[in-house]
Amino acid sequence: MGSLGDITLENNNVMCPPNPLDPEEFRRQGHMMVDFIADYYHDVDKYPVLSQVSPGYLRDRLPDSAPNHAEPIEAILQDVRNHIVPGITHWQSPNYFAYFPSSGSVAGFLGEMLSVGFNVVGFNWMSSPAATELETIVMDWLGKMLNLPKPFLFSGGGGGVLQGTTCEGILCTVTAARDKVLNKIGRDRIGDLVVYCSDQTHCALKKAAQIAGIHPDNIRALPTHQRDAFGLCPETLGAALAADVSEGLVPLYLCSTVGTTSSTAVDPLRALCEVAAEYDVWVHVDAAYAGSACICPEFRHFIDGVESASSFSFNAHKWFFTTLDCCCLWVKEPQHLVNALSTNPEYLRNKATESKKVVDFKDWQIALSRRFRALKLWMVLRSYGVANLRNFIRSHVNMAELFEGFVAKDERFEVVVPRNFAMVCFRLLPPLGSRSTRDGGLETANAINKRLLDAVNATGKIYMTHAVVGGVYIIRFAVGASLTEERHVRSAWSVVQEQAEALLAEFEVQAALQEKAETGLTEFNLHASMQEQAGQAVHA
């Protein structure tokens, strides 16, 4: 029997197909699928972390048209094993240290199953009251875990909403800020609005601002410096705001980051909010990665000053064991979101909405339709509890600290920027002979670190990614995969050392050959010069 059973023809009439949600068939295939995924997690560390396939590989393996008749689930899963798995970069591998983690958990997975199983479209309260009300409860739970000020909670007049990604959250808040200001100064002045960020801010802000109609020339990516650990300097922001106001422009929005993508730098939130307040600028705090850590009291200080911000977000699907997608966004004044994003066609009118006693989350996001994301976050919070969630995060920080110690003890390497959370930014130092060049060997160091990263990833044993900060090419080692243990970190460092030793040995050979060639050329030139001088003497 195929996945949905087969459809046969009789007297040129299409027979009624089997029920696509037959409970017993779902039970049978569901057990097979759970076993398949459990086996995948059991063996995930055996696969090359970074997929080794070439572009276009799958089109050569699969038919060029869909099957006319149903195929059995067994055959489909076999093709997944043979053709799909080789093309996956394994984000759940314990040897995955790239980008930022997309951590999962049994609770997150089961919550996703429930959400998909119910398959509700929770655009307003009426469409599924539980979906809305659970979301408001969970967002207040999580807000209290982060010790967010009460004005961000539903219980304090604000509120939180689950978006798909940080990109969506930033777009919603930029749009809300835009309409809030334009309603005061006139819609014809949209070309005067300016948004601000640092040169370390995620590109999501630029994309959101452009979608919201902000002129590209009015997006200020302000410079950061190593002396400030690449956080945005309040004086730099103040100067930019003053300069724009003097030109007749209107400061609109500041995106402050806690845990930048390149180096997990932290902007000084309290001081930036003080500067922004002078110009009535909407301040959004993007803590997509590092917000999870702030449920731990020892990391909460990184968001000190959030009480003066307008909105705050972090991704529970990054480092909070809640599967993609699940971005948590809180706003102090939800009415600005509603004013900018709401639509009320006749076919959505209902008594609950008109009573003003319910939340319609369709008015807090870009799309109308929305998934029941609160289920999986609720299951994660209940299944592990605050204490365990804190300890999961601390264990990753401890493993990153271990790796940082390995780097610091090896004189061939250096930690480039201070470690704030569970990511270490490091590089292989340029060979001594190249450090006397005009750029201090920076070009050579950048090139050799790029080669090092490529060599490490090519082994398939681990996967890391890079960034360029202050002109320096750095390798990012981000701990956060749910299955990672200390032994994986130790093994990763061994891989890095092995590849570094091979590269440095190659560099030494090349340097020796170059020196020999230069010495030979010098000797040749000296010999030729002596011959020329002797010839001149004979002629004289």
Side-chain angles (χ1 to χ4, degrees):
M1 184 179 183
S3 297
L4 292 178
D6 209 348
I7 301 174
T8 58
L9 296 176
E10 184 175 314
N11 299 324
N12 295 323
N13 292 320
V14 177
M15 299 294 290
C16 182
N19 183 356
L21 276 178
D22 176 77
E24 293 310 313
E25 189 60 21
F26 173 71
R27 192 186 314 277
R28 183 184 77 85
Q29 294 188 35
H31 280 299
M32 293 178 65
M33 187 63 72
V34 169
D35 285 343
F36 182 92
I37 296 172
D39 289 342
Y40 169 75
Y41 286 144
H42 184 271
D43 297 330
V44 68
D45 61 339
K46 298 176 183 177
Y47 300 114
V49 188
L50 178 63
S51 175
Q52 305 294 304
V53 301
S54 299
Y57 90 100
L58 195 56
R59 189 168 292 278
D60 295 332
R61 295 190 182 196
L62 298 184
D64 62 2
S65 59
N68 192 46
H69 299 290
E71 298 182 6
I73 185 66
E74 293 83 355
I76 297 171
L77 287 179
Q78 188 60 46
D79 279 353
V80 171
R81 185 178 291 107
N82 293 340
H83 305 314
I84 303 302
V85 171
I88 292 175
T89 290
H90 301 283
W91 286 67
Q92 301 310 311
S93 170
N95 299 306
Y96 183 97
F97 303 104
Y99 303 109
F100 284 131
S102 181
S103 59
S105 64
V106 172
F109 184 86
L110 295 179
E112 188 72 52
M113 286 179 67
L114 268 181
S115 176
V116 174
F118 291 138
N119 200 27
V120 302
V121 185
F123 46 82
N124 61 13
W125 183 89
M126 280 289 293
S127 64
S128 273
T132 296
E133 296 197 10
L134 184 63
E135 190 160 331
T136 63
I137 292 168
V138 164
M139 291 303 288
D140 269 12
W141 281 9
L142 191 50
K144 291 174 182 177
M145 289 168 61
L146 289 162
N147 197 22
L148 288 182
K150 193 167 184 179
F152 279 106
L153 309 181
F154 283 103
S155 57
V161 56
L162 293 175
Q163 305 277 354
T165 65
T166 295
C167 300
E168 296 171 42
I170 291 177
L171 177 56
C172 289
T173 52
V174 168
T175 304
R178 178 200 67 188
D179 282 14
K180 175 187 175 185
V181 170
L182 292 182
N183 287 338
K184 293 179 181 178
I185 66 174
R187 296 240 163 210
D188 59 334
R189 293 196 62 190
I190 189 171
D192 294 334
L193 301 181
V194 187
V195 302
Y196 304 83
C197 62
S198 85
D199 57 8
Q200 303 298 308
T201 302
H202 195 279
C203 61
L205 175 64
K206 181 179 181 181
K207 185 171 186 176
Q210 291 181 176
I211 294 172
I214 307 302
H215 196 285
D217 290 345
N218 288 359
I219 302 172
R220 306 278 185 262
L222 305 176
T224 58
H225 305 281
Q226 190 165 16
R227 65 175 180 268
D228 301 314
F230 297 102
L232 177 57
C233 176
E235 288 76 15
T236 301
L237 173 65
L241 290 165
D244 284 334
V245 169
S246 70
E247 294 293 325
L249 299 174
V250 181
L252 174 70
Y253 183 100
L254 167 67
C255 185
S256 176
T257 307
V258 177
T260 60
T261 300
S262 294
S263 66
T264 68
V266 176
D267 290 336
L269 184 54
R270 188 184 302 281
L272 291 174
C273 284
E274 290 175 358
V275 174
E278 298 177 22
Y279 297 86
D280 196 24
V281 168
W282 181 299
V283 178
H284 175 71
V285 182
D286 172 15
Y289 159 70
S292 300
C294 296
I295 68 167
C296 302
E298 64 268 32
F299 296 115
R300 173 56 175 75
H301 66 92
F302 284 114
I303 58 172
D304 283 353
V306 69
E307 63 273 9
S308 300
S310 307
S311 52
F312 174 90
S313 67
F314 88 92
N315 288 343
H317 60 248
K318 273 192 167 65
W319 196 17
F320 206 71
F321 315 99
T322 307
T323 54
L324 190 72
D325 53 5
C326 191
C327 171
C328 306
L329 169 68
W330 289 266
V331 290
K332 274 185 180 176
E333 299 179 88
Q335 193 57 43
H336 293 310
L337 282 180
V338 174
N339 291 344
L341 302 172
S342 66
T343 54
N344 296 291
E346 181 61 36
Y347 52 79
L348 292 182
R349 295 185 182 278
N350 63 85
K351 290 182 180 180
T353 296
E354 292 168 1
S355 74
K356 307 295 184 183
K357 295 180 180 179
V358 300
V359 174
D360 288 342
F361 278 124
K362 70 178 180 62
D363 300 330
W364 293 46
Q365 63 177 31
I366 301 301
L368 173 68
S369 301
R370 63 195 326 269
R371 303 173 63 238
F372 197 170
R373 294 186 182 95
L375 266 176
K376 59 184 177 182
L377 188 53
W378 183 58
M379 286 196 67
V380 166
L381 293 175
R382 292 193 62 189
S383 296
Y384 305 118
V386 178
N388 276 327
L389 289 168
R390 285 173 174 164
N391 287 334
F392 288 155
I393 289 168
R394 287 168 177 149
S395 71
H396 290 152
V397 173
N398 290 340
M399 284 186 272
E401 186 176 10
L402 175 68
F403 188 88
E404 180 185 39
F406 293 151
V407 174
K409 290 177 183 177
D410 192 325
E411 61 184 11
R412 299 170 300 177
F413 293 86
E414 72 170 352
V415 176
V416 180
V417 295
R419 179 190 54 78
N420 290 321
F421 305 101
M423 189 176 83
V424 181
C425 297
F426 72 103
R427 68 168 182 159
L428 181 63
L429 289 169
L432 287 172
S434 67
R435 299 183 199 177
S436 58
T437 58
R438 186 179 62 179
D439 65 353
L442 180 60
E443 183 177 348
T444 300
N446 287 351
I448 201 170
N449 277 279
K450 184 178 187 305
R451 288 188 60 192
L452 174 59
L453 181 60
D454 289 343
V456 166
N457 289 338
T459 68
K461 295 178 180 179
I462 63 173
Y463 180 36
M464 300 183 295
T465 48
H466 79 284
V468 176
V469 181
V472 177
Y473 186 102
I474 59 175
I475 300 175
R476 303 163 68 261
F477 185 83
V479 181
S482 303
L483 296 172
T484 300
E485 299 173 4
E486 184 177 307
R487 61 189 175 92
H488 298 108
V489 173
R490 292 182 180 276
S491 177
W493 175 241
S494 295
V495 173
V496 171
Q497 285 186 307
E498 290 169 5
Q499 298 304 316
E501 287 167 4
L503 270 179
L504 290 174
E506 179 184 334
F507 189 93
E508 289 176 2
V509 169
Q510 291 176 345
L513 290 173
Q514 183 177 353
E515 183 180 0
K516 184 176 181 180
E518 291 174 351
T519 301
L521 182 61
T522 301
E523 291 176 350
F524 174 80
N525 290 339
L526 179 60
H527 181 68
S529 176
M530 291 174 65
Q531 284 186 323
E532 182 180 354
Q533 291 175 10
Q536 290 175 349
V538 170
H539 180 73

